[in-house]
Each structure stands twice: as C-alpha cells, then as structure tokens.
Amino acid sequence: MNNHKSEKKLTIFALGGVGEIGKNMYAVQYANDIIVIDCGSKFPDEELLGIDIIVPDITYLIENKDKVRALLITHGHEDHIGGLPYILKQLSMPVYASRLTMGLIEGKLKEAGLLGSTERHLIHADSELKLGSMKATFFKTNHSIPDSLGVVLDTPEGVVVHTGDFKFDQTPVGDHADIHRMAEIGRRGVLALLSESTNAERPGFTPSERIVGANFIDAFRKAERRVIVSTFASNVYRLQQVVDAAAATGRKLAIIGRSMVNMITIASELGYLDIPDGMLIETNEVNRYADNQVVILCTGSQGEPMSALTRMARSNHRQVEILEGDTVIISATPIPGNERSIGRTVDELFRLGANVIYGSGTQTGMHVSGHGSQEELKLMLQLMAPKYFIPIHGEYRMQLHHKKLAEAVGVQPGNTFIVDNGEIVEIVHGDARKSGKVPAGNTYIDGLGIGDVGNIVLRDRKHLSQDGILVVVVTISKQDKTIKSGPDIISRGFVYVRESEGLLEEAGRIVTRTITKSISDNVNQWTTLKSNVKDALGRFLYEQTKRKPMILPIIMEV
Amino acid sequence: MNNHKSEKKLTIFALGGVGEIGKNMYAVQYANDIIVIDCGSKFPDEELLGIDIIVPDITYLIENKDKVRALLITHGHEDHIGGLPYILKQLSMPVYASRLTMGLIEGKLKEAGLLGSTERHLIHADSELKLGSMKATFFKTNHSIPDSLGVVLDTPEGVVVHTGDFKFDQTPVGDHADIHRMAEIGRRGVLALLSESTNAERPGFTPSERIVGANFIDAFRKAERRVIVSTFASNVYRLQQVVDAAAATGRKLAIIGRSMVNMITIASELGYLDIPDGMLIETNEVNRYADNQVVILCTGSQGEPMSALTRMARSNHRQVEILEGDTVIISATPIPGNERSIGRTVDELFRLGANVIYGSGTQTGMHVSGHGSQEELKLMLQLMAPKYFIPIHGEYRMQLHHKKLAEAVGVQPGNTFIVDNGEIVEIVHGDARKSGKVPAGNTYIDGLGIGDVGNIVLRDRKHLSQDGILVVVVTISKQDKTIKSGPDIISRGFVYVRESEGLLEEAGRIVTRTITKSISDNVNQWTTLKSNVKDALGRFLYEQTKRKPMILPIIMEV
C-alpha cells in the first residue's frame, strides 16, 4: 500500500496537530527517509469517559519503521512532548531536542522506564544533522518556554521550514529570536513553510513577555499581605519574572505543586532560571515571615481539580491556607473548556477574603500569549517567503485565517494547503498537490492500555454514566427449565435502592413472568430469552422512570 | 423548627440563584405570608452524570405551604421559569406573570399536564396585588425578552424591591424601562433592594440592542448568498431585528428549530413580534428563491448538539444544507462551558465553505448583553437609594463586585448582605441582620425522578463512567458449598472483550481460586466471600491495566 513512498518525491503530512489544539506531530518524507517533528499529547473532551490522554496514531511510522531517521522536538510543552512515553513504547526512534526540552523529556522517559532504551541527541540552534537524504538545521524562536527552535529541512526537492510555536518578542525575557537567520533562510528560498496558527484569529502583535514583569512588580508592591502567583509551570520566563519581582520587593519565595517544583528544579539545574541565594523558603517556613515578605508560586491557573491553588481555594491544602487580604494573581488566560472550574476557584478565593486578580491577560496585564498574532504570522511569512504554505497547529478556523494572511502577504492562492491529519501534500519537481492519505487519528490512553479502548467501550461507559446498570441473574435448571434461584436484581447508578424497593420488586416479577412465558412458548435460545427480558424490563423501567439503564440479563444453568 | 416565622418580622432569603447562574428563586416573608419570586432551572455541570436539569429545593415552602401567597415571575427566561413544571408538581402555588411570560409558562405547564391544576393570574406593569400583609406592584425594565418586570413589595416593615434582570437601554427595540416609576419608588424610600449581578464585573454601559439591528442590515447587504442567523429563541427583540433586516434587504425568512418556531408562534400571536405578510416561507421552499433573497433564522448559537445549526454544520439536517458562500451569523456570546462545542460548530461551517461571523458580541457587533454593566447597576442603586442591599443572581465574585459598586454609590458598608442559598436576612424595626437558614440546595431531575438521584447514585455513575463494570456470577451448591456453575465474567465499558480474552480468562481463574480457598478457610458469610473476590480481582486488574472497574460479585445458591 505504501509502495509509492520509495519514489523520489517529497511528502509532508501530519499525524496529529491539524484541526485541533495539541497532539502535534508532523512528518516530512523524501524517498526512504522520514523525519518526524514533535510528539504531543492532548487531554480528552469530557465525552471520552475514562480516557486519560490522547496521542497520535503512528500506524504509518510503525509500518515504515526502517525509514524513520529522527524525531525532532521543537520545544518542551506537553502538546509537543507529551506523547513520547506512549509513542516510544510502540516504536523506538532517535530523539533530538535542545537542552531544556531534553531535560523535560528525560524526566518523562525515566518515569515510563524508557530512558535506557531511547537514543537521545542534544541539539542547539547551530546544530546540523545529516538524516538520510535530508539535512536538518534550526533557528531560535521566542515562545513561552526557553530553548524553542524552528526546524529547517534541506531536501533534494527544496527547503521545508517548520516554525514550531513562536512569537516575535522585541524585548524578550530570554534570548532574542534569530530573525537574521530566518531572513537568510528565506533569502535562499523556501519551498514549503509549515507555520503555527494558534493566534491567527487575533489582530495585531502579541505583547512582550516583559510587560508582565513590570505589572508583577506593581502588584507585589501594592499587596499589603502575601502574594500568591499561579501560572503554567513550563513558562520559565514567567517564573523568572516572579523571582525578579520578589527580589525587587524584598519577598521570599515558596514553591507549591509537583510540576512547579519539578520545573524549577530542572530549569535551575540547567541554568535557565536564576534564583538569588536565600530567596527560596520551604512551604512550612512561610508563617515565619511577615505577610508582606512572602510570595507563593504555585500551579492551578486552569482550575485543575488536584492543583495547589484549587486545594488552597477549597481550604484543603495540607500546608497553606488562604488568609484574609492575600493577593492571588492568576497569571494565565483560561483555556477554552476551563472557564467554569477557574470561575469556581476564583469564587472560593474571594470567599476566603483574598483579593484575586483574574481574567484575560489583556485586562489584567498579568499574562501574555506565547503565540504570535496576525502581524507576527505575516512577518514570518514575509521572512520565509515560501512557495507553498501549510498552516499547522490549531483549529480549522485558525488555519483558514492563517491561509488568508498568507495570501495577503503574497503566497499564491492555490499554493496554501490546509490538510487534515493524515492527508499528504506531495511535491514533485517543484509542483505540490494533495495526494492520498496515511492512516491517522487518535490513540486513546487509558491506564496502561494504548489504544485498547475504542468506540464500543466508550459507548458502554456513556450508557452506564447516564442511567446506570441493572444486572438480572437467574439460575435455571438444565433438566426441567424451571427457575431454580432468582431472579436477583442488582442495580448501580440507577435509583437510590432503599427508596425504590417497590419498583425493583415489580421489576423482579416482570422478569419471572417473562422467563416463564418464554419457556412455555418453547424459547430455547438463551439469547432470545435474554432479549425478551431486556425488552420487557426496559419498557417497564422507562414507563416508570423515563430512564434507560443498561440491562444485563445473566442466566446460569445448573 | 420554624416557629419564629410567625413573628412579625420581615425575612428575605434565596432558595436558588445565589452563587450560581440560573435556578433563580427568592422569597420574602412577613409573618404568615410568603411571596416567592421566580422559579428557575439550570443545566447540570458534566460531573452530574445523567442529570437532566436542576431546580431549587423547596422543602421550606412545602413545610410552610399554607403561608405561600404567590409565585411572582419577573420574565420568561429559563433561569426564571424553567423550574415550574417540577416545582408545581411538588407544591401548587398561584402563579402571577405578564402576558408573554405567561404564554411561555402555559406552554410548559401544558406539556407537564399541569395547566388545569395551576392557578394563573395575568399581571402588567400597573397591576397591584394584595397578598396577605403585603402589596405587590411592578415596574417595566429592559431585558433581552419583552414584558420583563421589577417587583415592589410593600411590607409592614418597609419596601422591598426585586429588580429581576435588567439593563438601561436608552434606545430599546421595544418599550422603554419605566425610569420615572423607579425614581418615584426610590423617592418614597426603599428598605431593601435585591438587584441582579450578572454583569457586575463589566465596566461601563452595556450597548443598546438597537446597534445589533444596524449591523444585521450591513451584514445582510454584504452577503452575496444566503444568510443564516442563529440566536437565543427567547430574545424576541433580536428576532424582530432579524425580521426588520430581512425586510430592509428584500429577503424571505425561514425558521428552523423547535424552540425558535415555538417562540415565534407565541410572540406573533401575542403581538410581540411583527412579521410582514408574505415574508415567512417554509423550510422546503428555501430552494425556490435566489440565494440572496433568503434568511434562515435558527437555534444553535451555543453549539447545542441537537440544535438546528449544529445539525446543519454536521451536514445531517433533514432539510437544509450549508452551501459554499452562505453567511452564518452567530448572534450570541458563548456561555462559559460552551466554547468548545461552539468552536466545533464554527469549524464545521467553515469547512463547508460558509463565511462565519462568530465570537464575542463586542468584536462582531452581532450581539449585546441583556444585563446592565457597572454604570447601569449604579444607576439602579442611585434610583432606589436603598437602606439595605442584597446583590442577587450570578456567581459570588459578581455579587462581591456588586457590593463594591453599592458602597461606591452610598450604601453603608455594613448594609450589604451577600447571602448563600438558604441564608436568611431578617429585618426587624428597621434593623437588618443575617439570622439562620432555611433548607436550600439543588434538586436533581432525572427523567421522571425529582430528587431521587443523590450522591450514592452519582458516585456509582461516575465510577462506571471511568472504567466500566465487571459482573462476576457464580452458582454455589447450598449443600456441599461447591461451585455448580461459573464463574461467568461479563464486562461492559472496561476493555474490548475480543482483544482481552486472556485477561478475562485469567480473571476467571483468580475468582475460582479465591472462592475455593475462602470456602476451605470456612468463610461462611457471602459478604466476606464477595469482598474477597472483589479484592483479589481488583488487585489483579489494576496490576494488569491500571484501571479500577466496578466489580459486582453475585453468588447464587442452589
């Protein structure tokens, strides 16, 4: 089925990351060489009951495992590295990543027991990799995590650029993006640009990370008592600005939340975070300092149920309680879907007497996006001046907006390809067109299971979740087909049993009647008998309750 | 327990509507007279599995049913009338509402079979009701549904005002709010004001409904093909503006969606909506007209799964398909929690080639709120100049903001009461204080059941939804305690059975072993035996899968 792949042509496709936030994984193939870029995961929507996480379906890579030359990682966010522990269990690939990114990856691999078995290569902005018939180089970008890279692939057909996630921050907290190298890449000619679309609906420029720092200092100064800042652990620049504002206002710093402690440890060890000696204090030391000498930095900016901030808000954190007059800064913008849980956390904090600074970053000044807005996306398009354009990452509407931006900047209308996961863009002799599909989709992770929970299991969970289950057990004699024991009816998640005795007794009588009648009608197949019980009981329960629990008739023969 | 109630004092409390959007129900009691205001419902969060709707707990009213003089309804939105079909089943009360509101209520009561048994009284802005020791009068407000009223209760202790929902629209599409009467009420003296808090976090003034009409006309003109407008069915002013824009641009109008058809029928019959003769066309006539002569008005502005717009977006609407070049206007702002489903609908519409106008009303000009912003809330506070203030409706943080607005306008800091559902504000001889609680909370509706699904059932549904269920059935001989049949293991929502035969076989062996060993250890209690099976099997399954399905051991004796 994939015999066309060994031809001398360039193909570009996504195994995840198109038409949805998260789960990013792109691939570029030339003849017998495949380069994979990123390996993200995403959290499931509520309807995927019991699913822990979603990763890309890599059937195509497994079928072509001899061709996979490298897995390049652009940066250390979950939607770019979160799939590694699951994907590498299915297929081992050499992983290339910059220092901080690799530090985060190694933590994940260690936990998954994959550290020893995974080939790992540290790269940096000046690395040059020979990967089969292709060459990979990189360029520095600005994003809300240090060490973010764009990828340049020199292929026999021409240059393919993958931007990773980026903004253009003219006053970054860390390094500048390497705009000169980008210009140079564009000057030499780009065949195809894959550029990220997250903020393609947003006009203008995304504000600089640095404005948040100034606002932190103001807020820390104004706060008469303790300051509690909640943000994404991965935003090391933001963490640095919390540290700097604490230093500027003479406050000590306590860190709460597993992922926050973890990030600060890794980032400090690798030199990405600079915390003055003596500033860090243990959580249990907080009460030894005056209220206006303390900052607490914690997780929970998205209202996650088990996070530090949520537990503090619900007054069930082991060590820290919110005090009247505390200032809580939520340094993040709600991710769609999290508004209600964040709202609940904010309400609880207010109830405890805290002064809460919350809402969108534009209003509060306490958060800026790590993704470039329309003017920055256009700037990237200008710099790269690609012949072909493939908007990546984000929902369909964002990619569609990005297409319009590209056309405004000069990409020929027919030369932009919005592709679904799996759809192939093929480029031969400089001509690009859509050409078939590779297998692609969602692989559900549930516990240790990778992809073993599918539609049938999910449909059953959905059914069980709505109206519960009734198990009906009856023992029937093999010889004379009479009921020897039962029917016993056990229900879970259907009605409160103690208050529904009458209903369940009547249900039992209906089962007995149905079985007796079926047997006297000479029904011999257990399946038919079961289906008769299901029908009669289902009808009765729906009439009585307007609910449709799952009904599981079990017949034991003795 | 409620013997203090017959004393000559005024009490004000909420049975729903504090600290949450929706489910609004307030009550004012003087001695032996209770007046109830509104009877709302709200939709459950996702974690309330299988629950259809939530209404207030009216235990207090049932216990004091002889004292309930009236249920006054301020306007016809679901969060003010949605509870009626369930509440009136528990307790019949005389219902008072204005014409449009009563029209909507009667539709609900008819469906619930309660129309005949419910005492109903039509009121209007000039009605005056003698209700025991209290007198009720009303004042017109502006809100996103016609016939909205504020309530004035003359009590022996003083005047209590309940605003209902309101904005101050200086150029309304319907009637003006009666600002003169409000001024008059305030001039005569208000003891306590209950005013709505929905937009208390929003600075400034809410824009006039009329600007949406102007933007509709612009958008309809620009649209080269069909226009599809999706909005809340209850916003009759908005519907009128769609009609007017259709008239102004020479387009016919088709209506899709049950609640939209329903609303347009009632509003037209009662004279709240004016549709020119010959403008309405049937859905199946749409194709007979040129694309630029058609407007389709439909439900689905919140991405509701079964709504007209969602079905069109998914290309599974029976009668209408989205065509390339259609303009779709979503004339609404996402309600928190609906962002993702709206996003999916918008994506699908773009995929079908539609031009979609979506996002917040501030950006698109296609929607304005029906709730007053901070300046309007202050205006109401100024007009009423109450001695005591109780912010109502909305989340805690909104009520807290509203309290600050009240203090800025001149209400004494100690004179604002933010109350939880059930908390009583008692006023005696002009002095107000919090004083105890009446029972209050959520009553869950599931099918025909009113309040019969509680925490145990919900906990089971949650468990079932995450990892499914394993039913283990075994038949044991009464005489010799040997296994006569089984164990049979049936699973639902746990693993895909066909691919997990080995796992389930091993599970069966573990059950047999556990039962045999327990019996040879002289375990005689079935409960102990069951619990041994649960433990052993649970441990095994967790080791193998890291999942914890519900395990239901069933032992049949023969």
Side-chain angles (χ1 to χ4, degrees):
Chain A
M1 83 189 248
N2 295 304
N3 56 338
H4 72 284
K5 290 295 155 206
S6 51
E7 293 167 35
K8 299 232 173 210
K9 65 184 177 186
L10 177 68
T11 56
I12 302 171
F13 51 91
L15 293 175
V18 182
E20 57 193 299
I21 299 285
K23 217 197 72 175
N24 297 308
M25 183 181 247
Y26 286 79
V28 175
Q29 174 165 10
Y30 186 84
N32 285 321
D33 303 309
I34 301 172
I35 295 174
V36 184
I37 301 174
D38 289 334
C39 183
S41 63
K42 68 167 193 168
F43 288 111
D45 287 350
E46 304 86 33
E47 61 259 37
L48 294 176
L49 294 166
I51 301 299
D52 302 324
I53 207 160
I54 302 174
V55 299
D57 177 346
I58 57 159
T59 303
Y60 179 80
L61 299 181
I62 292 171
E63 284 173 359
N64 294 276
K65 61 180 172 204
D66 296 339
K67 298 178 188 163
V68 178
R69 303 287 161 252
L71 171 53
L72 311 178
I73 306 291
T74 59
H75 64 282
H77 278 152
E78 285 301 308
D79 53 340
H80 296 259
I81 67 170
L84 282 165
Y86 312 102
I87 296 299
L88 293 177
K89 250 179 217 162
Q90 301 170 68
L91 174 65
S92 196
M93 298 179 264
V95 177
Y96 295 78
S98 53
R99 268 181 73 228
L100 179 63
T101 311
M102 189 61 89
L104 295 168
I105 289 172
E106 288 179 349
K108 284 183 180 294
L109 297 185
K110 206 166 176 179
E111 221 169 89
L114 291 166
L115 193 58
S117 61
T118 303
E119 186 186 326
R120 305 184 309 283
H121 302 273
L122 216 54
I123 55 171
H124 50 78
D126 297 321
S127 296
E128 216 182 289
L129 311 175
K130 177 93 187 88
L131 302 166
S133 55
M134 294 182 271
K135 191 182 77 176
T137 54
F138 306 90
F139 56 93
K140 266 191 196 177
T141 60
N142 290 135
H143 186 44
S144 43
I145 186 168
D147 253 12
S148 295
L149 295 173
V151 178
V152 184
L153 299 180
D154 266 298
T155 81
E157 186 68 45
V159 169
V160 177
V161 174
H162 180 296
T163 61
D165 285 351
F166 72 94
K167 66 194 280 192
F168 285 99
D169 194 332
Q170 309 303 324
T171 56
V173 171
D175 292 351
H176 274 82
D178 194 344
I179 196 165
H180 299 102
R181 186 172 291 178
M182 294 184 221
E184 180 60 21
I185 295 161
R187 204 189 49 77
R188 286 198 316 245
V190 171
L191 177 67
L193 172 67
L194 284 66
S195 181
E196 73 121 333
S197 314
T198 312
N199 275 350
E201 295 172 298
R202 201 181 289 184
F205 259 88
T206 301
S208 170
E209 175 66 29
R210 200 167 284 274
I211 68 154
V212 176
N215 292 329
F216 277 167
I217 293 180
D218 277 357
F220 285 27
R221 279 230 170 88
K222 271 190 208 141
E224 288 169 15
R225 306 197 62 178
R226 305 182 312 178
V227 173
I228 295 156
V229 182
S230 176
T231 190
F232 290 112
S234 65
N235 194 337
V236 177
Y237 301 132
R238 191 67 50 82
L239 309 185
Q240 184 66 59
Q241 298 205 99
V242 172
V243 169
D244 295 349
T249 57
R251 290 176 182 259
K252 299 284 180 186
L253 185 65
I255 316 291
I256 310 187
R258 185 169 165 271
S259 64
M260 189 64 82
V261 170
N262 197 21
M263 190 70 198
I264 283 179
T265 309
I266 294 178
S268 300
E269 277 174 15
L270 297 179
Y272 290 90
L273 189 62
D274 184 19
I275 304 180
D277 285 345
M279 173 183 275
L280 280 185
I281 58 172
E282 295 295 322
T283 314
N284 58 20
E285 293 176 315
V286 163
N287 295 334
R288 290 195 217 153
Y289 293 86
D291 286 347
N292 64 0
Q293 291 173 4
V294 171
V295 174
I296 294 168
L297 178 57
C298 65
T299 54
S301 61
Q302 294 299 316
E304 305 91 330
M306 300 306 291
S307 66
L309 187 65
T310 305
R311 281 182 287 139
M312 288 187 246
R314 292 186 184 159
S315 300
N316 60 14
H317 192 274
R318 267 182 311 118
Q319 295 178 295
V320 179
E321 58 175 335
I322 299 291
L323 304 175
E324 174 104 27
D326 281 349
T327 297
V328 179
I329 298 172
I330 298 184
S331 177
T333 285
I335 293 172
N338 295 345
E339 290 82 359
R340 278 200 281 194
S341 50
I342 297 171
R344 273 195 291 261
T345 299
V346 170
D347 279 338
E348 296 300 335
L349 292 167
F350 271 124
R351 278 179 200 272
L352 295 170
N355 169 32
V356 192
I357 304 175
Y358 63 101
S360 87
T362 332
Q363 285 159 15
T364 64
M366 297 299 174
H367 176 72
V368 297
S369 173
H371 300 274
S373 300
Q374 292 179 347
E375 296 307 315
E376 289 151 281
L377 300 181
K378 287 193 242 172
L379 179 52
M380 179 64 84
L381 282 154
Q382 282 281 33
L383 285 166
M384 294 297 169
K387 181 173 181 188
Y388 295 109
F389 175 54
I390 301 176
I392 61 170
H393 305 169
E395 313 283 349
Y396 181 82
R397 60 187 181 278
M398 301 164 191
Q399 299 187 353
L400 189 66
H401 273 83
H402 205 173
K403 175 181 194 286
K404 287 177 191 160
L405 298 176
E407 288 167 9
V409 167
V411 173
Q412 293 300 310
N415 284 5
T416 294
F417 295 92
I418 299 184
V419 289
D420 260 332
N421 291 325
E423 269 191 311
I424 299 166
V425 174
E426 170 187 298
I427 309 183
V428 186
H429 306 313
D431 282 333
R433 61 184 183 95
K434 284 200 186 181
S435 156
K437 293 198 82 173
V438 302
N442 288 323
T443 296
Y444 300 142
I445 310 294
D446 181 3
L448 293 181
I450 298 177
D452 66 333
V453 168
N455 288 337
I456 296 175
V457 172
L458 287 171
R459 197 193 53 203
D460 283 349
R461 287 184 187 171
K462 178 79 186 167
H463 188 172
L464 290 165
S465 77
Q466 291 306 297
D467 289 321
I469 186 168
L470 259 89
V471 182
V472 182
V473 195
V474 62
T475 313
I476 292 183
S477 155
K478 258 183 217 164
Q479 288 160 326
D480 60 4
K481 305 280 177 201
T482 56
I483 295 176
K484 282 285 178 205
S485 169
D488 282 14
I489 296 185
I490 301 104
S491 86
R492 289 289 185 278
F494 170 53
V495 289
Y496 188 49
V497 175
R498 286 206 197 156
E499 289 176 0
S500 309
E501 281 173 16
L503 181 76
L504 295 176
E505 276 166 20
E506 180 61 22
R509 281 191 288 274
I510 285 169
V511 173
T512 307
R513 215 148 56 213
T514 307
I515 291 176
T516 316
K517 177 159 192 314
S518 296
I519 287 171
S520 78
D521 286 353
N522 288 316
V523 171
N524 285 314
Q525 297 289 326
W526 285 158
T527 46
T528 311
L529 187 59
K530 284 182 188 175
S531 132
N532 289 350
V533 168
K534 254 185 177 169
D535 290 348
L537 191 52
R539 211 161 35 234
F540 167 71
L541 295 174
Y542 186 73
E543 273 165 17
Q544 296 292 313
T545 65
K546 288 278 180 293
R547 296 179 203 165
K548 293 178 173 175
M550 184 182 278
I551 296 173
L552 209 61
I554 300 173
I555 296 172
M556 305 291 283
E557 270 186 314
V558 289
Chain B
M1 84 189 247
N2 295 304
N3 56 339
H4 72 283
K5 291 297 156 202
S6 53
E7 293 168 35
K8 299 230 174 212
K9 65 184 178 186
L10 177 68
T11 54
I12 302 171
F13 50 92
L15 294 175
V18 182
E20 58 191 301
I21 300 285
K23 215 195 74 174
N24 298 307
M25 182 181 247
Y26 286 79
V28 176
Q29 175 165 10
Y30 186 85
N32 285 321
D33 302 310
I34 301 173
I35 296 174
V36 185
I37 301 174
D38 289 333
C39 184
S41 63
K42 67 166 190 166
F43 288 111
D45 288 349
E46 303 85 33
E47 60 259 39
L48 294 176
L49 294 167
I51 302 299
D52 301 325
I53 207 160
I54 301 175
V55 300
D57 176 347
I58 59 159
T59 303
Y60 179 81
L61 298 181
I62 293 170
E63 284 172 359
N64 292 277
K65 62 180 172 204
D66 296 339
K67 298 178 187 162
V68 179
R69 302 287 161 252
L71 171 53
L72 311 179
I73 307 291
T74 59
H75 65 284
H77 278 154
E78 285 302 309
D79 53 338
H80 296 259
I81 67 170
L84 283 164
Y86 312 101
I87 297 299
L88 293 178
K89 251 179 218 164
Q90 301 171 68
L91 175 65
S92 196
M93 297 179 264
V95 176
Y96 294 78
S98 53
R99 268 180 73 227
L100 179 63
T101 312
M102 190 60 89
L104 295 168
I105 290 172
E106 288 180 347
K108 284 183 180 294
L109 297 184
K110 205 166 178 180
E111 221 168 87
L114 290 165
L115 193 58
S117 61
T118 303
E119 185 185 327
R120 305 184 308 282
H121 302 273
L122 217 51
I123 55 172
H124 49 78
D126 296 322
S127 296
E128 215 182 288
L129 311 175
K130 178 95 185 85
L131 301 166
S133 56
M134 295 182 271
K135 190 184 80 178
T137 54
F138 305 89
F139 56 94
K140 266 191 196 177
T141 60
N142 289 135
H143 185 43
S144 42
I145 185 167
D147 252 12
S148 295
L149 295 173
V151 178
V152 184
L153 299 180
D154 267 297
T155 82
E157 188 66 46
V159 169
V160 177
V161 174
H162 181 296
T163 61
D165 286 350
F166 71 95
K167 65 193 280 190
F168 284 100
D169 195 331
Q170 309 303 325
T171 55
V173 171
D175 291 351
H176 274 82
D178 194 343
I179 197 164
H180 299 102
R181 185 173 290 177
M182 294 184 222
E184 180 60 22
I185 296 161
R187 204 186 52 74
R188 286 193 320 238
V190 172
L191 178 67
L193 171 68
L194 285 66
S195 181
E196 72 121 333
S197 314
T198 312
N199 275 349
E201 296 172 298
R202 199 179 291 184
F205 259 88
T206 300
S208 170
E209 176 66 28
R210 200 167 284 276
I211 68 154
V212 177
N215 292 328
F216 277 168
I217 293 180
D218 277 356
F220 285 27
R221 279 231 170 88
K222 272 191 206 139
E224 288 170 14
R225 306 194 63 177
R226 304 184 311 178
V227 173
I228 296 156
V229 182
S230 175
T231 190
F232 290 112
S234 64
N235 195 336
V236 177
Y237 300 131
R238 191 69 47 83
L239 309 186
Q240 184 67 58
Q241 298 204 102
V242 171
V243 169
D244 294 348
T249 56
R251 291 175 181 258
K252 298 287 179 183
L253 184 66
I255 316 291
I256 310 187
R258 185 169 164 273
S259 64
M260 189 64 82
V261 170
N262 197 20
M263 189 70 197
I264 283 179
T265 309
I266 293 177
S268 299
E269 276 174 16
L270 297 178
Y272 290 89
L273 189 63
D274 185 19
I275 305 180
D277 285 344
M279 173 182 275
L280 281 184
I281 57 173
E282 295 297 322
T283 314
N284 58 21
E285 292 176 315
V286 164
N287 295 334
R288 289 194 216 154
Y289 293 85
D291 285 347
N292 64 359
Q293 291 175 3
V294 171
V295 174
I296 295 167
L297 178 57
C298 65
T299 53
S301 62
Q302 295 299 316
E304 304 92 330
M306 299 306 290
S307 67
L309 187 65
T310 305
R311 281 183 287 139
M312 285 187 248
R314 293 188 183 157
S315 300
N316 60 14
H317 192 277
R318 266 182 314 118
Q319 293 179 296
V320 179
E321 58 176 334
I322 299 292
L323 304 176
E324 174 105 30
D326 280 350
T327 296
V328 179
I329 298 173
I330 299 184
S331 176
T333 285
I335 293 172
N338 294 347
E339 292 81 358
R340 279 200 280 195
S341 50
I342 297 172
R344 274 195 290 263
T345 300
V346 170
D347 278 338
E348 295 301 334
L349 292 167
F350 271 125
R351 278 180 201 271
L352 296 171
N355 169 33
V356 192
I357 304 175
Y358 65 100
S360 87
T362 332
Q363 285 159 13
T364 63
M366 297 299 174
H367 176 71
V368 298
S369 172
H371 301 274
S373 301
Q374 291 180 346
E375 296 308 315
E376 289 151 281
L377 299 181
K378 287 194 243 173
L379 178 53
M380 179 63 83
L381 281 153
Q382 282 281 35
L383 285 166
M384 295 296 170
K387 180 174 181 188
Y388 296 110
F389 175 54
I390 301 175
I392 61 169
H393 306 167
E395 313 282 348
Y396 182 81
R397 60 188 181 279
M398 301 164 192
Q399 299 186 355
L400 191 66
H401 273 83
H402 205 174
K403 174 180 194 286
K404 288 177 190 159
L405 298 177
E407 288 167 8
V409 166
V411 173
Q412 293 299 310
N415 285 5
T416 294
F417 296 91
I418 298 185
V419 290
D420 260 332
N421 291 326
E423 270 190 312
I424 299 167
V425 174
E426 170 187 298
I427 309 182
V428 185
H429 304 315
D431 283 333
R433 62 183 183 95
K434 282 199 187 183
S435 156
K437 292 198 82 172
V438 302
N442 289 323
T443 295
Y444 300 142
I445 309 295
D446 181 4
L448 291 181
I450 298 177
D452 66 334
V453 168
N455 289 336
I456 297 177
V457 171
L458 286 172
R459 198 192 53 204
D460 284 348
R461 287 183 187 172
K462 177 82 187 164
H463 188 171
L464 291 166
S465 78
Q466 291 305 298
D467 289 321
I469 187 168
L470 258 88
V471 182
V472 181
V473 194
V474 61
T475 312
I476 291 180
S477 154
K478 258 183 217 165
Q479 289 160 328
D480 60 5
K481 303 280 178 202
T482 55
I483 295 177
K484 283 286 178 204
S485 168
D488 282 13
I489 297 185
I490 301 103
S491 86
R492 288 288 185 278
F494 171 51
V495 288
Y496 187 48
V497 175
R498 286 209 196 155
E499 288 174 1
S500 310
E501 281 174 14
L503 181 76
L504 295 177
E505 277 167 19
E506 180 60 22
R509 281 190 289 273
I510 286 170
V511 173
T512 306
R513 215 148 55 213
T514 308
I515 291 177
T516 316
K517 178 161 189 314
S518 297
I519 288 172
S520 77
D521 288 352
N522 288 316
V523 170
N524 285 313
Q525 297 289 323
W526 284 158
T527 47
T528 313
L529 188 60
K530 283 182 190 176
S531 133
N532 289 351
V533 168
K534 254 186 179 169
D535 290 348
L537 191 53
R539 212 161 34 236
F540 167 72
L541 295 174
Y542 186 71
E543 274 165 16
Q544 296 292 314
T545 65
K546 290 275 182 293
R547 296 179 202 167
K548 294 178 172 175
M550 184 181 279
I551 296 173
L552 209 60
I554 299 173
I555 296 171
M556 305 291 283
E557 270 186 314
V558 288

